[in-house]
Amino acid sequence: MLRHPILAALGRIAGDGRRTTVLRRLSVAAVAFTAAATVIPAVPAQAAAFKVLVFSKTAGFRHDAIPAGIQAIRDLGVSNDFTVDTTEDSNAFGATNLAQYKAVVFLNTTGDVLNDTQQTAFQTYVDGGGGYVGVHSAADTEYNWPYYGQLMGAWFNNHPAIQQATVRNEDRAHAATAHLGATWSRMDEWYSYRTNPRSNVRVLQSLDESSYSGGGMGDHPITWCRPQSSGRAFYTGLGHTQESYADPNFRTLLLGGIRYAAKATNADCRPETGYTALYNGSTTGWSQAGPGSFTNSAATLTSQGGMGMLWYSAKEFRSYSLKLDWRLTGDSNSGVVVGFPATSDANTALNTGHEVQIDATDSSDKTTGAIYGFKAADITARDAALNPPGQWNTYELLVEGERLQVFLNGAKINDFTNTDPVRSLQQGYIGIQNHGSGDVASFRNIRIKELTSVTPSPSPSPSGDTGALRGVGSGRCLDVAGASQANGAVVNIWDCNGGSNQRWTSTGSGELRVYGGKCLDVNAAGTADGTAVIVWDCNGQSNQKWRLNADGTITAVGSGKCLDVSGYGTANGTKVHIWTCQGGTNQKWTRI
């Protein structure tokens, strides 16, 4: 529960003459004073629920909407129990100062605004668990800093004149967009980007380019989020005009982005491609089993009565990733049922399939995330990922053979293997439960991606498998630079050419060997993000052990981090290192 502090309002003029303001929520009195300082002092322990730093320095074009944006975020802080500090002093980007903030907002920044030392401090802050929020021309910032490009998602390319356009709200579970309908018509300056970030971020909103002139991207993301190491990133291209910051819908979008980045609310912000909608407003293909029903309004299904089940009767599924967004009202009860044969009886489905429970309170094997009656969720992980009743959550149910993994808002909370001879996950239908009177559950955006192959083992590359490893994001192969056979030779990506320096053999002990006797090696057994990957004489140590995962990632056993193409690079010679696993295409590989 958010705390309501008794604090004084504080204003200060920074030592370099730039204005730095601090707003705190008032309960008893307000006191104002000034002090000369470069950075903002830490707030005492009785401060608001969390603190946010708004950074609006410009080294290029300066938006006249910056003051309105600052005031909007101040207002949001007052109304939602977080403290807002504002600055244009880059010296605020020091480790000690940044540590007091849950998120930093780059509000219409432009140009090169941080020096190397400040960049390093900010990278450490975000990767260590801090939040980043970029607004509009935050994408027109720090072009020469690859990490920032990765964090923010895509750099600005160009824009047409300010005009009305239609925004498609692709994700209506995220706190930034859950309040919006399927589309949103508004006036703004519509950025196009140098690259399409979709493969590396979760797109929340995109533009309908037929609704305005001057787009040119085709698939045109405009708002997105992504995990970044232990931190979180959120960006929206909206927010050029002063009027934007008076718009309640845009303010709510900003609030949701800030709360997500600050870890005050959760969302599944992993990249998502290749899914087919089973429900996004139309119930074609769905059938009701048993009593009760679901209302269908604003692309949202809401349960009433029961106990019954709405099930997708048009097709059975074998191996798949099923995603859906759900919300409970109070202490309600519902669930997602998978792996059952066709039936008009909801109880039969429960007795022949498995229910992934949705219930705010119950015994551990019958509450949210549990495989009902069979296996409790990891309650610690579940509680850390769960949004409370009244807020939206996202499930991913990953079914591979008899294995069912449950992800809540992107975090894995259950891993279950069916051994019951009367049930099987290998083929069946899916359904959502309407539990009974007083149990109100809503569902949105039910989508599925069928898997073409099942990988029961976490190591899809068997011992003795030899061939090139091609990066999904770059299309280039894992390569020993210059075909060197020396210890310490750098590993990078290069055009796939079939050379011996691109032929990697998986061994039963977890090695990836090249030239027969050299191993893919994490330099000096490092564990930090950015540690180089090299080749070295095979020695059996853990920094030469790798796990090839079903999702295409390759994990360094010694560090638990992923084999990663630096900065999402695609050029020949781009270095390969280890980095915290985040699901991007620069961390995915295919055997060719």
Side-chain angles (χ1 to χ4, degrees):
M1 180 175 292
L2 300 182
R3 293 172 289 140
H4 298 271
I6 302 175
L7 293 172
L10 168 66
R12 182 177 83 254
I13 303 296
D16 64 355
R18 295 186 179 94
R19 179 70 178 174
T20 303
T21 63
V22 182
L23 176 69
R24 294 194 180 92
R25 199 167 178 186
L26 304 180
S27 296
V28 176
V31 179
F33 64 92
T34 60
T38 301
V39 297
I40 302 158
V43 173
Q46 70 270 24
F50 61 89
K51 290 185 70 179
V52 170
L53 177 63
V54 178
F55 182 55
S56 54
K57 181 177 179 179
T58 55
F61 180 82
R62 186 167 182 86
H63 285 74
D64 62 7
I66 287 175
I70 290 172
Q71 187 59 51
I73 298 172
R74 287 174 173 170
D75 293 345
L76 291 172
V78 170
S79 301
N80 295 277
D81 198 30
F82 63 87
T83 299
V84 178
D85 293 347
T86 72
T87 189
E88 297 200 355
D89 184 358
S90 299
N91 289 316
F93 285 77
T96 301
N97 191 58
L98 288 173
Q100 64 185 300
Y101 299 107
K102 289 294 187 181
V104 178
V105 181
F106 279 54
L107 176 64
N108 278 325
T109 52
T110 54
D112 187 1
V113 291
L114 300 177
N115 65 28
D116 290 349
T117 300
Q118 293 156 358
Q119 289 175 357
T120 298
F122 187 56
Q123 178 174 342
T124 300
Y125 161 79
V126 175
D127 288 349
Y132 163 84
V133 176
V135 180
H136 193 58
S137 65
D140 190 23
T141 302
E142 294 291 346
Y143 287 101
N144 295 318
W145 185 18
Y147 174 82
Y148 183 81
Q150 174 181 325
L151 176 69
M152 184 267 306
W155 274 301
F156 164 76
N157 187 36
N158 56 50
H159 65 79
I162 296 171
Q163 58 192 294
Q164 198 86 8
T166 299
V167 179
R168 297 188 181 109
N169 298 305
E170 296 188 19
D171 185 318
R172 295 172 64 222
H174 196 286
T177 48
H179 63 293
L180 298 168
T183 60
W184 181 23
S185 180
R186 67 185 313 275
M187 184 82 69
D188 215 317
E189 179 182 78
W190 303 110
Y191 274 12
S192 292
Y193 302 93
R194 296 183 181 185
T195 57
N196 188 325
R198 186 178 291 276
S199 62
N200 299 312
V201 303
R202 173 59 174 146
V203 175
L204 305 179
Q205 297 179 310
S206 58
L207 294 180
D208 178 356
E209 289 196 338
S210 69
S211 68
Y212 74 105
S213 300
M217 286 185 66
D219 175 26
H220 194 145
I222 198 68
T223 301
W224 56 78
C225 58
R226 66 184 302 270
Q228 172 59 44
S229 191
S230 296
R232 295 177 174 184
F234 173 91
Y235 170 82
T236 182
L238 283 61
H240 173 85
T241 66
Q242 295 182 44
E243 292 78 9
S244 292
Y245 297 93
D247 177 359
N249 280 329
F250 181 66
R251 284 192 170 204
T252 301
L253 183 144
L254 274 181
L255 175 63
I258 290 169
R259 284 177 53 78
Y260 166 74
K263 299 183 178 177
T265 192
N266 297 302
D268 187 351
C269 284
R270 298 173 298 167
E272 182 176 308
T273 57
Y275 284 78
T276 299
L278 299 184
Y279 168 80
N280 205 6
S282 170
T283 55
T284 300
W286 291 83
S287 301
Q288 179 69 31
S293 62
F294 284 83
T295 63
N296 181 18
S297 177
T300 305
L301 293 167
T302 301
S303 67
Q304 53 185 12
M307 184 170 60
M309 179 185 67
L310 185 68
W311 60 293
Y312 190 72
S313 55
K315 186 177 181 180
E316 287 187 82
F317 298 100
R318 294 178 181 269
S319 294
Y320 52 87
S321 167
L322 173 70
K323 289 191 176 184
L324 49 83
D325 307 327
W326 58 267
R327 180 182 65 186
L328 292 184
T329 299
D331 185 14
S332 290
N333 188 320
S334 186
V336 184
V337 190
V338 296
F340 59 91
T343 181
S344 59
D345 184 348
N347 286 317
T348 297
L350 294 173
N351 292 329
T352 55
H354 284 291
E355 179 187 0
V356 180
Q357 179 73 328
I358 301 173
D359 186 350
T361 59
D362 208 328
S363 60
S364 61
D365 66 337
K366 297 176 182 177
T367 188
T368 298
I371 313 302
Y372 188 91
F374 283 84
K375 186 175 182 180
D378 178 333
I379 298 299
T380 299
R382 191 281 308 274
D383 287 351
L386 181 64
N387 293 323
Q391 296 182 26
W392 287 92
N393 292 273
T394 299
Y395 263 165
E396 179 189 9
L397 309 185
L398 181 59
V399 176
E400 298 176 285
E402 294 293 352
R403 183 184 183 190
L404 167 58
Q405 299 176 74
V406 181
F407 296 80
L408 174 64
N409 295 322
K412 185 174 176 179
I413 62 169
N414 209 335
D415 193 337
F416 167 73
T417 299
N418 174 61
T419 58
D420 186 340
V422 303
R423 306 170 196 251
S424 178
L425 290 165
Q426 294 195 40
Q427 186 169 353
Y429 293 89
I430 63 172
I432 55 175
Q433 185 184 73
N434 54 300
H435 190 269
S437 298
D439 290 311
V440 181
S442 296
F443 295 87
R444 285 178 173 171
N445 195 14
I446 304 174
R447 64 267 193 204
I448 198 164
K449 178 162 64 176
E450 297 184 77
L451 306 179
T452 56
S453 61
V454 180
T455 307
S457 164
S459 298
S461 184
S463 175
D465 194 6
T466 299
L469 290 166
R470 182 167 60 196
V472 171
S474 67
R476 292 188 164 89
C477 282
L478 191 68
D479 175 285
V480 183
S484 173
Q485 297 192 27
N487 281 338
V490 171
V491 176
N492 57 19
I493 56 170
W494 203 269
D495 291 332
C496 300
N497 55 38
S500 61
N501 64 321
Q502 293 184 353
R503 294 182 61 79
W504 301 90
T505 299
S506 306
T507 72
S509 58
E511 299 164 329
L512 282 170
R513 291 190 172 225
V514 65
Y515 309 131
K518 300 287 184 182
C519 276
L520 190 67
D521 177 291
V522 180
N523 189 31
T527 59
D529 283 345
T531 301
V533 173
I534 58 176
V535 293
W536 201 271
D537 291 334
C538 297
N539 55 37
Q541 296 179 3
S542 63
N543 65 315
Q544 294 185 352
K545 299 295 178 66
W546 303 85
R547 184 172 64 250
L548 280 69
N549 304 308
D551 63 356
T553 58
I554 299 176
T555 306
V557 172
S559 65
K561 295 187 174 178
C562 279
L563 189 66
D564 176 288
V565 180
S566 176
Y568 290 88
T570 59
N572 280 335
T574 302
K575 299 297 187 292
V576 175
H577 54 202
I578 58 168
W579 201 273
T580 301
C581 301
Q582 39 78 4
T585 56
N586 67 321
Q587 293 185 350
K588 294 190 176 180
W589 306 84
T590 57
R591 178 75 81 176
I592 61 172

